[in-house]
Amino acid sequence: MFAVHLLAFHFAKLKEDQIKKVDRYLYHMRLSDDVLLDVMGRFRAEMVKGLGRDTNPTATVKMLPSLVRSLPDGSEKGDFLAVDLGGSQFRALEVKVFNDGKQSSQLESKFYPTPKEVIQGSGAELFSYVADCLSDFMESRNLKHKKLPLGFTFSFPCKQNKLEEGVLLSWTKHFKARGVQGTDVASSLRKALQKHKDIDVDVLAMVNDTVGTMMTCGYDDPRCEVGLIIGTGTNACYMEDMRHIDLVEGDEGRMCINTEWGAFGDDGALDDLRTEFDRELDLGSLNPGKQLFEKMISSLYLGELVRLILLKMTKEGLLFNGKVSAALLTKGKIEMKHVSAMEKYKEGLSNTKEILTELNLFPSEDDCIAVQHVCTIVSFRSANLCAAALAAILTRLRENKKLLRLRTTVGIDGGLYKTHPQGSAKGAAMVTAVAYRLAAQRKQIDAVLAPFLLSLETLRDVKNKMRTELEYGLKRETQDRATVKMLPTYVCGTPDGTENGKYLALDLGGTNFRVLLVKIRSGRRRSVRMYNKIFAIPLEIMQGTGEELFDHIVQCIADFLEYMGIKGARLPLGFTFSFPCRQASIGKGTLVGWTKGFKATDCEGEDVVDMLREAIRRRNEFDLDIVAVVNDTVGTMMTCGYEDPNCEIGLIAGTGSNVCYMEDMKNIEIVEGNEGKMCINTEWGGFGDNGCIDNIRTKYDKEVDEGSLNAGKQRYEKMTSGMYLGEIVRQILIDLTKQGLLFRGQISESLRKRGIFETKFLSQIESFSRILQETVKELAPRCDVTFMLSEDGSGKGAALITAVAKRLHNIGQK
C-alpha cells in the first residue's frame, strides 16, 4: 500500500516538474491580467480608428458596416435557402421560418468538402463549385421547382454598400482563389447560379459569419447584440450606434459592425506579445504579415503553433530524447483536432501518447505530460486574447448605452466554442427573412426607377439614332435641321513635340473662369508648366449683358497679368469657350446659343473673339494676340494628345456634356477640302431636341427640362450632365416620399428646394466612369479604347492648340 502511495507521489512530482519546465520555456505565452487589460485598451483604440472616416484607411481593424440595421422581430416567415462559405467545409441549408406566435424555425442542411484545388484555384471555379453544391442540395430536398430567396454567408472581409452585394477586400485563412479580391462576390455567385437553368434563386442578402451568428441567436434572444466566431478563423461583430459610424451616412439608430478583428496587430501593435513561434508560423503562411491576431487564436493555426514549439523543444533536447521524426518536421501534421484531443481532462494523456506515437516520436510519460501542457498554454493564450478583445466590445456597448452594468448575450459559433452548430448559415437566412419583409417596398421603388434602367437593346437604338444625327450634321443639305450640329473647329493637327514658348489661355464654360500662363518646352526635356488663377462668374454677370460679361473677363485677365508681372507682354492666346460656336476659321467663333445657365444678352450670333477684342480695347491697358478659339472638348483632346498621340476623341462629362473627334475631311461637306482630318465639335447636348429620344425620357427628365432656363433645348445634356442630375434625383425622392416609400412620407423643407443635390454627392453614390467604360465596351466591342483623365483640363489644351496653330502658320508662311 505504501508503495502505491509512493508511486502516486512520484508521478505527481514528475508531472509538476514537467509543467514547470514547459512554463519556463513558454513564459512569454502566459499572459498576465495586466497584459490582457492592456490588450483590451489597444483593441478599443483600434475600434475607434476603424470607425473614423479619416483614420479608417490606416486602421488594421476595419470595422466594416454590414448594412444590417436590426434583429428579427418575430414577424418573419417563409422558406429560405442559405449557403455558408469560409470554414473547413461548405454548407447548404434550407430554413423554414414560421410566424405562428412561437417564433420557431426548422432547418435542414448538407455539408460539402472544400477541396484545396477549388479554394486556391480560380474565382470562377470556386463560385461554380458553390453553385453546383447548392444545385445538388436543392435536388436532394426536392426544391428545384420553387423560386427561393437565398442568404450568402461569406466569412471574409468585405466592403458592403448594399445588403445584397459585397466587395472582397482580402482572403484570409486558407482561401486564395484568384481574381476575386476587389470584386463583388455576391454578383459572382449570381452569375454561377445563372448557369443552372433548372433552379431559380434570388441572392437577397450577403453577410459575414459573425453577423449570421448574431442574427441566429437574436431570433431566440432579443438581448443578443454581439456575434463571435472562434473556429477556422476568428472574428466578431456587434451593434454600434450610427452616430459613431463615420463610414455610413446617418446618425439615427444602430448598425451591425463587422470588426474583422483577425487583422488586429498587422501594424505592429502586438509585436511585443508575439513569440518566435508566432513569427515562424506567419512566415510560412499563405498571407505573411496579415491576420496576425487570428494566427494567435484560431484553430487553423493552433495545431501548427504547437508543432513548431514541439520541434524546437525536441531539437534542444527537452523532448523525445532530442530525436526529431520526419512527421514532426512536416507542416500541418498536428491539427486542432489533435490539440483538442490531447487537452481532454481524463483521456488527454492517453490521447497524447497515441497521437505522438503516430508521429513516430515514441514518447515517455514525461514527454506526454509536457506536450499536453504545451497544448494547454497555446489554447489558454488563444482564449485569453479572444476574451480581451471581446471585453473591449462589451465595454463599448455598455458605454454607448450609458449603463453602470450591461446585460447582454453573445452569440458564438465555431469549432473552438461550439454552441450553435448551424449558427452563421441559419443567420444568413434570418437576415434574408428580414430583407424579404422589405422586398415589397423595394419593388415599388424599383417600379419608379425602372425607366432609368436602359437595356442594351435600347442603348443600341440610341447609338444608331446618334449615328444618324452625326451624319446629318456633316452633310450640307441636312446640317441646318440636325440636332447634333457637328461644328468644324479648324483644328487640323495635334502636338508633335516641337511646340515651344509662352502662351496665355482662357477657360470659360462653368461658374468659374480660369486664366492660365502655359510654358511649353520642346526637345528631349519637353514639358508643359502651367500657372493659373480661378475667378468667379457671378450669376448677374452670367445672365446680364454681353458687354458686362466680356468686361468682367478682361478684368480677370488684367488681374492675372498683373499678378504674374507680365502686363506689358503681347503673348499669343487660346480661348476655351465651352458653348456651341460656328467657326469660319480657328480664330473666329460665332455663338450659336448659350447652355449651362449662361444667358448674357447680345451675344448669340456674334463672334466671341471680336467681343473679347472690343472689351480689351475698351480697357486700353494691354493687347493680346488671340490666335484660337476652341471648345473645352477640343482642349481636352489636345491636352491628352500631348501625352498620347493616339488620342483622337475629347469627352466632357461635368457641368455640361459634349464630345469632339478627328473626322476625315472627305466626310465634312460643310468645309472645303478633302485631304487630312479636322476636329469636329459635335455639340451632342442638343441630341433629341427633335423628339427622337422622347421614348427614353422619363417624367422626371421632362419636369427638370420645363423648369430650366432653356426649356426644350439641350435635352440630351439634361439627361447626362452634372448640372441637371441632382435635380432629377430630387424630383424622384419627392415622388417616392409622396408614395410613403421614404422618410415616413414627410417631405422636408430642404427637399423642396432646388439644387440641394450637387454633382459631387452623386459621384460618391455611383461610379460614373466605371459604368461609362463598361457600356462603351459593350456597345463598341471592336474598339479597344483607353480612357485618359485630362488632369490639366481644357485650358492647357487651348494653349497647345495655339502653339500648333502658330507652328502651322509659320510653315505656311515659309
Side-chain angles (χ1 to χ4, degrees), residues 139-157:
E139 178 81 40
S140 68
R141 298 288 304 157
N142 193 27
L143 296 172
K144 286 198 170 182
H145 63 286
K146 290 184 178 181
K147 179 173 182 176
L148 292 171
L150 179 137
F152 182 20
T153 298
F154 188 74
S155 310
F156 303 94

Side-chain angles (χ1 to χ4, degrees), residues 15 337-359 363-373:
K15 186 172 182 179
K337 63 182 180 181
H338 300 133
V339 176
S340 299
M342 289 189 283
E343 272 192 277
K344 285 191 176 177
Y345 174 62
K346 289 185 177 178
E347 62 267 36
L349 275 178
S350 61
N351 289 342
T352 303
K353 186 176 182 67
E354 183 180 336
I355 290 165
L356 294 176
T357 302
E358 287 175 3
L359 296 174
S364 66
E365 190 76 21
D366 287 11
D367 291 331
C368 291
I369 293 167
V371 169
Q372 188 182 44
H373 196 51

Side-chain angles (χ1 to χ4, degrees), residues 444-721:
Q444 289 177 274
I445 294 174
D446 288 346
V448 170
L449 299 178
F452 290 92
L453 302 175
L454 305 180
S455 66
L456 272 176
E457 184 180 351
T458 300
L459 290 171
R460 287 191 182 101
D461 181 55
V462 173
K463 180 184 86 167
N464 293 334
K465 288 175 179 175
M466 175 69 83
R467 181 74 184 268
T468 300
E469 286 293 313
L470 295 176
E471 290 171 358
Y472 280 167
L474 289 172
K475 289 183 168 59
R476 187 175 285 109
E477 66 272 15
T478 54
Q479 208 265 345
D480 285 342
R481 69 173 187 268
T483 59
V484 181
K485 289 303 179 187
M486 304 296 283
L487 303 173
T489 65
Y490 293 87
V491 172
C492 299
T494 53
D496 66 359
T498 63
E499 291 75 23
N500 200 49
K502 296 179 182 178
Y503 302 88
L504 275 180
L506 312 179
D507 189 358
L508 179 69
T511 52
N512 290 328
F513 168 64
R514 278 198 310 164
V515 186
L516 307 94
L517 175 64
V518 183
K519 295 180 179 180
I520 305 174
R521 173 192 260 177
S522 62
R524 290 179 62 188
R525 297 177 64 189
R526 76 174 193 147
S527 64
V528 178
R529 295 179 65 189
M530 296 199 313
Y531 309 87
N532 74 87
K533 202 169 182 183
I534 298 173
F535 301 89
I537 305 282
L539 185 63
E540 61 269 20
I541 297 290
M542 291 169 61
Q543 298 180 11
T545 67
E547 190 172 296
E548 289 170 340
L549 173 62
F550 280 92
D551 282 347
H552 180 77
I553 289 171
V554 172
Q555 173 67 55
C556 296
I557 296 170
D559 288 350
F560 179 76
L561 294 176
E562 191 167 330
Y563 170 74
M564 294 299 298
I566 55 173
K567 206 163 190 178
R570 190 174 189 272
L571 297 174
L573 180 142
F575 187 10
T576 299
F577 188 75
S578 308
F579 304 94
C581 283
R582 202 176 303 282
Q583 291 186 252
S585 70
I586 198 168
K588 286 188 172 294
T590 301
L591 177 62
V592 174
W594 286 116
T595 60
K596 294 175 286 192
F598 278 73
K599 207 73 176 174
T601 59
D602 307 319
C603 294
E604 294 181 3
E606 299 294 328
D607 180 4
V608 294
V609 176
D610 283 345
M611 295 187 78
L612 179 60
R613 286 197 182 104
E614 287 169 13
I616 292 171
R617 279 197 291 271
R618 281 196 298 274
R619 190 171 183 90
N620 197 27
E621 283 184 16
F622 54 84
D623 194 16
L624 296 172
D625 177 17
I626 305 172
V627 174
V629 59
V630 298
N631 188 272
D632 53 352
T633 53
V634 186
T636 297
M637 184 188 75
M638 292 296 277
T639 297
C640 295
Y642 185 75
E643 307 295 336
D644 181 354
N646 290 321
C647 183
E648 48 190 349
I649 297 176
L651 172 65
I652 296 290
T655 308
S657 175
N658 194 19
V659 76
C660 71
Y661 72 102
M662 297 300 290
E663 177 62 84
D664 289 353
M665 286 288 291
K666 63 184 178 181
N667 297 328
I668 311 173
E669 293 184 6
I670 49 181
V671 176
E672 296 299 321
N674 288 312
E675 298 299 319
K677 290 185 173 186
M678 179 183 289
C679 183
I680 291 292
N681 167 22
T682 66
E683 285 299 337
W684 74 6
F687 175 48
D689 288 359
N690 59 359
C692 70
I693 57 171
D694 279 359
N695 62 310
I696 62 168
R697 292 176 72 227
T698 67
K699 69 172 185 173
Y700 307 105
D701 295 307
K702 291 167 186 172
E703 286 170 6
V704 168
D705 179 34
E706 288 165 6
S708 67
L709 286 169
N710 55 348
K713 304 288 185 184
Q714 299 294 109
R715 291 179 179 178
Y716 189 66
E717 182 172 77
K718 287 168 185 170
M719 298 170 74
T720 56
S721 73

Side-chain angles (χ1 to χ4, degrees), residues 165-182:
E165 66 180 43
V167 175
L168 176 65
L169 297 177
S170 61
W171 284 118
T172 60
K173 295 167 279 195
H174 52 307
F175 281 69
K176 204 75 174 177
R178 301 182 304 276
V180 184
Q181 194 168 319

Side-chain angles (χ1 to χ4, degrees), residues 72-123:
D73 67 1
S75 65
E76 294 78 18
K77 63 178 180 178
D79 288 5
F80 303 93
L81 291 172
V83 291
D84 183 4
L85 181 66
S88 53
Q89 289 183 307
F90 167 71
R91 286 183 288 178
L93 305 93
E94 179 192 8
V95 181
K96 294 183 178 182
V97 183
F98 304 103
N99 183 13
D100 53 5
K102 299 176 183 177
Q103 208 165 324
S104 59
S105 62
Q106 181 180 318
L107 182 148
E108 296 290 338
S109 71
K110 188 174 180 180
F111 285 84
Y112 296 88
T114 49
K116 184 176 180 181
E117 62 270 19
V118 171
I119 63 176
Q120 294 182 16
S122 72

Side-chain angles (χ1 to χ4, degrees), residues 275-335:
T275 66
E276 60 179 301
F277 308 109
D278 296 305
R279 292 184 174 88
E280 188 175 349
L281 180 143
D282 176 46
L283 288 173
S285 67
L286 283 171
N287 53 349
K290 305 289 185 185
Q291 300 295 110
L292 298 183
F293 190 60
E294 182 170 80
K295 287 169 184 171
M296 299 168 81
I297 290 178
S298 73
S299 64
L300 182 63
Y301 303 102
L302 296 192
E304 181 63 8
L305 204 54
V306 167
R307 184 188 71 84
L308 292 172
I309 294 168
L310 299 186
L311 178 60
K312 187 172 183 191
M313 289 182 73
T314 305
K315 285 181 177 179
E316 293 181 8
L318 299 174
L319 291 173
F320 315 124
N321 293 319
K323 293 178 181 177
V324 178
S325 71
L328 192 59
L329 289 166
T330 304
K331 182 180 176 181
K333 270 296 182 180
I334 298 179
E335 299 176 32

